[in-house]
Amino acid sequence: MNNKLLDRIGLPSNLAWGYLGILIFMMGDGLEIAWLSPWLMEHGFTVQQNSLLFTVYGVTLAISSWFSGVLVETLGPKRTMWIGVTVYILGTSGFIGLGVANDFNYAMMLIFYCIRGFGYPLFAYSFLVWIAYKTPQQRLSSAVGWFWFVFTGGLNVLGAYYSVWAIQNLGHINTLWTSIALVLTGAVFALIVNKDNLVLKSGRSTNDKLKELAKGLTIAKEEPKVLLGGIVRTINTTAQFAFPIFLPTYLSDYGIPTTTWLGIWASIFTSNILFNLIFGIVGDKLGWRNTIMWFGGVGCGITTLGLYYIPQWFAGNVWAIGAMGILWGALLAAYVPLSALVPSLVDKDKGAAMSILNLGAGLPTFVGPAIVGLFIGPMGAQGVIWILALLYFTSSVLTYFIKLPKESNEIVLDSKVANQNFN
């Protein structure tokens, strides 16, 4: 595709191969996300055991998400991303070989799924920092929209569709093994075929690098609005990681089998990836905060409730449930401008600001399963749904206070200067 055309649609042409690499990598990483929990339950695991498995995975993923931004500042994006690839392969191999394939050894599954959690944030979120540095500000929302398009497209759409075919033809365990081949393919495109490079400050002492790592925490104190952005980002996808643990079981009570759930899940995120692009553009036009507050916070809160009540009101009608899910997935994308808003709060240390945002992106993998594990017993599915919905409404309120300097969420740059700096 012509470079000028890529730039015109908001996808930085100098990073195009990197975007493709993210798509393929995340396809491998996310191929089991929608079916692992119900499959393990078929082999005797409880909801609480599944919740613990995903929670420990989320803890390391959140830590890795925070480190991704500051490690890019100290090691550069490509080295950081290669570390992510290596850790992912180690964790996945142990999870399958010593855990799942070893008569479902739960202890080994916990240990290596925990290690696996360090992998994809170091790969994907480091590339997001790369984008934040190499893209001019007036096009940044569109550029991160494309990032979330390929990220979510791989994680929740292509991974799910691929699993439908692979499980039937290869079996569950062999399907898990193929994730490594997909991850390596993505790494080749993002780190070898992609010739772009990000050169940051060089010649720094060990003490300087340690200070850079500390910036990933101190930036939240120096600029509290960055911390608010991290909290909002956490709320953004908490439901995304809570739903697969309990919704398939809840929907089965209304005649929706796991295979149908996989189709609904894939449809939800097909909608989501399309609207990642749309809301990236909408955010640049209507304002970043307004888009997040009204479409994201309020919209997701209402549709989250809908995913619980629609199966009851329409007697398990697949089309009605699917329509509500597709709408929820579309509105989930309205948080995309947050990846432009947060780094724009600071003139320098964008990597540190992105670390807080990346931490917020990683925490849902811990918070979502933890909410299910803690509240599904005493409050049931209805209570969990209301908790998730109230979190979305809260995020809308918090976003109101994340204002750029001069109380504006729009940045006007000289177009000639921006175009000169775009590549």
Side-chain angles (χ1 to χ4, degrees), residues 31 92-94 96-97 101 172-182:
L31 59 81
T92 299
S93 299
I96 304 170
H172 290 84
I173 293 178
N174 287 333
T175 297
L176 289 172
W177 279 118
T178 62
S179 67
I180 294 177
L182 290 168

Side-chain angles (χ1 to χ4, degrees), residues 162-194:
Y162 167 74
S163 290
V164 172
W165 172 87
I167 289 172
Q168 294 176 349
N169 292 276
L170 304 176
H172 290 84
I173 293 178
N174 287 333
T175 297
L176 289 172
W177 279 118
T178 62
S179 67
I180 294 177
L182 290 168
V183 161
L184 284 172
T185 302
V188 168
F189 280 108
L191 299 173
I192 298 176
V193 180
N194 172 29

Side-chain angles (χ1 to χ4, degrees), residues 186-365:
V188 168
F189 280 108
L191 299 173
I192 298 176
V193 180
N194 172 29
K195 301 300 182 182
D196 190 78
N197 197 21
L198 176 62
V199 179
L200 298 173
K201 293 176 288 185
S202 60
R204 291 175 295 176
S205 65
T206 300
N207 187 51
D208 291 334
K209 292 183 178 182
L210 290 174
K211 288 181 179 179
E212 194 68 59
L213 289 173
K215 270 285 184 183
L217 290 176
T218 60
I219 190 72
K221 180 179 180 180
E222 297 168 3
E223 182 49 80
K225 287 182 286 188
V226 170
L227 177 60
L228 287 181
I231 295 172
V232 172
R233 181 63 184 87
T234 302
I235 295 171
N236 175 197
T237 49
T238 289
Q240 177 180 330
F241 292 96
F243 284 163
I245 298 177
F246 77 99
L247 264 189
T249 304
Y250 170 70
L251 292 177
S252 69
D253 294 336
Y254 294 90
I256 306 296
T258 299
T259 52
T260 303
W261 156 252
L262 278 173
I264 293 173
W265 186 255
S267 299
I268 285 173
F269 286 97
T270 299
S271 166
N272 178 258
I273 63 173
L274 294 174
F275 277 86
N276 278 335
L277 299 179
I278 293 172
F279 279 116
I281 297 170
V282 169
D284 285 335
K285 300 296 183 181
L286 298 184
W288 299 339
R289 286 192 308 129
N290 287 333
T291 301
I292 298 165
M293 284 191 297
W294 298 110
F295 292 103
V298 176
C300 284
I302 293 172
T303 51
T304 294
L305 295 173
L307 283 170
Y308 178 81
Y309 290 106
I310 287 295
Q312 298 179 21
W313 295 343
F314 291 87
N317 184 286
V318 173
W319 297 104
I321 297 169
M324 181 56 65
I326 288 170
L327 182 57
W328 176 77
L331 293 170
L332 192 68
Y335 285 89
V336 159
L338 196 64
S339 296
L341 178 60
V342 170
S344 298
L345 294 169
V346 295
D347 294 327
K348 57 180 181 177
D349 298 318
K350 292 185 183 293
M354 288 298 291
S355 286
I356 297 297
L357 192 64
N358 292 344
L359 175 61
L363 281 173
T365 59

Side-chain angles (χ1 to χ4, degrees), residues 50-63:
N50 285 340
S51 175
L52 177 60
L53 179 68
F54 287 106
T55 298
V56 297
Y57 170 75
V59 169
T60 55
L61 194 149
I63 295 170

